[in-house]
Amino acid sequence: MASKDTYDNIKLVSTVVPAVNAAATVTGTTVDTVGFESATLLVNVGAVAGAGNVTLKLQHSDTTTDGDFVDVPAAQLLGVIPAVLVAATVYKQGYTGAKRYLRAKGTLNSGTSVAYDASFVLAHARSKPVA
């Protein structure tokens, strides 16, 4: 039984919209974490077609400039997103770095396509309730 709610304390932001991704690279939209003390990436995987193999990474930056984004070092990640995404699975990965901007980036290594989306749960808001 849930005795507390998180509704007014978190913000959900999509970085990769739900889609069947057949492109070589899918770069998520930039998520601004200003006003929040924590961020967790959620990845929801649907169908995998033609032995699709996707690697998904979390990237961060101090700016919104595309070229400034780099992969987050393993020491700043909580949990692991596997090298190959499995159909009908949800993954989570926490971020402990100090950069303001985050995004997910997927790379189709082989196969036809993989249906997935990625969103951030921003929490520990500095100002509550969260709209």
Side-chain angles (χ1 to χ4, degrees):
M1 175 178 88
S3 62
K4 300 189 187 245
D5 81 278
T6 58
Y7 182 82
D8 291 321
N9 299 313
I10 64 172
K11 181 177 181 181
L12 304 175
V13 185
S14 179
T15 181
V16 176
V17 296
V20 175
N21 294 299
T25 302
V26 175
T27 302
T29 56
T30 299
V31 173
D32 188 351
T33 66
V34 72
F36 295 88
E37 298 295 326
S38 67
T40 301
L41 178 66
L42 296 179
V43 180
N44 186 24
V45 184
V48 175
N53 174 329
V54 169
T55 302
L56 196 72
K57 295 182 178 182
L58 195 131
Q59 295 188 319
H60 64 175
S61 175
D62 287 320
T63 73
T64 58
T65 303
D66 187 57
D68 290 346
F69 278 87
V70 296
D71 295 348
V72 176
Q76 296 176 7
L77 296 172
L78 301 172
V80 175
I81 295 184
V84 177
L85 300 180
V86 177
T89 306
V90 177
Y91 302 101
K92 68 178 179 177
Q93 188 168 52
Y95 174 72
T96 62
K99 306 280 186 186
R100 177 174 172 177
Y101 300 100
L102 301 173
R103 71 182 184 189
K105 187 170 188 174
T107 302
L108 182 64
N109 302 309
S110 63
T112 306
S113 65
V114 176
Y116 66 93
D117 66 84
S119 298
F120 283 98
V121 178
L122 304 179
H124 299 99
R126 292 186 195 126
S127 177
K128 298 174 190 173
V130 176

